[in-house]
Amino acid sequence: MENDKTFIKYNTAGSRSAIAFGSNIGESLAILEGAMKSLEKTPGITIKAKSSWYRTAPVGGPSQPDYLNGAAILEVQLSPQKLLDTLLNIEQEFGRVRQKHWGPRTLDLDILLFDDLILETPDLQIPHPRMTQRAFVLVPLAEIAPDWIEPVSQEPISKLLQKLDCSNVSLFINL
């Protein structure tokens, strides 16, 4: 299994990963803060930077309330798949039920970037496939990692953000 050997490299050396946070059902701020605390307590994960929280209009899907979104930079001693499993478990811990594609949710955690890895498996795509088209992802990410080079476009996050309409993203809480 060649992929397992690749992941061992990330596992032992430690890797940098960017994670997106979103919520628009329930007490979103408390849910997002709780998810951040769950990540902080997870072995093999150290939070290196946290963005502010932003209020954002929903994109696609059914009519729904605005979201709170943010991002974090993690140092991880986990493979990308193990990190995904950890994020899915935290989503479940906070009541995430997957019903409608792009529908409302209590918590959404996505791996945006993992070092400069480009990966496509049936259940995980890195970089996140739509991150470069979403202001609600790039605004908080640019706050904490403006110079991170997105590996497909080979452009820094700050430059990718300049290409987007950010009018539906507003600062909610500055950290």
Side-chain angles (χ1 to χ4, degrees), residues 124-156:
L124 181 58
Q125 201 171 346
I126 300 173
H128 190 283
R130 291 168 299 285
M131 69 175 274
T132 61
Q133 298 134 24
R134 294 179 168 172
F136 68 85
V137 170
L138 292 185
V139 168
L141 185 57
E143 177 186 332
I144 56 176
D147 299 326
W148 193 328
I149 303 296
E150 191 276 334
V152 174
S153 67
Q154 289 295 303
E155 293 185 313

Side-chain angles (χ1 to χ4, degrees), residues 84 111-112 118-130:
L84 175 63
I111 300 173
L112 301 174
I118 298 173
L119 175 71
E120 190 165 343
T121 70
D123 60 343
L124 181 58
Q125 201 171 346
I126 300 173
H128 190 283
R130 291 168 299 285

Side-chain angles (χ1 to χ4, degrees), residues 27-35 94:
E27 297 293 327
S28 292
L29 183 58
I31 290 167
L32 294 171
E33 294 285 348
F94 286 90

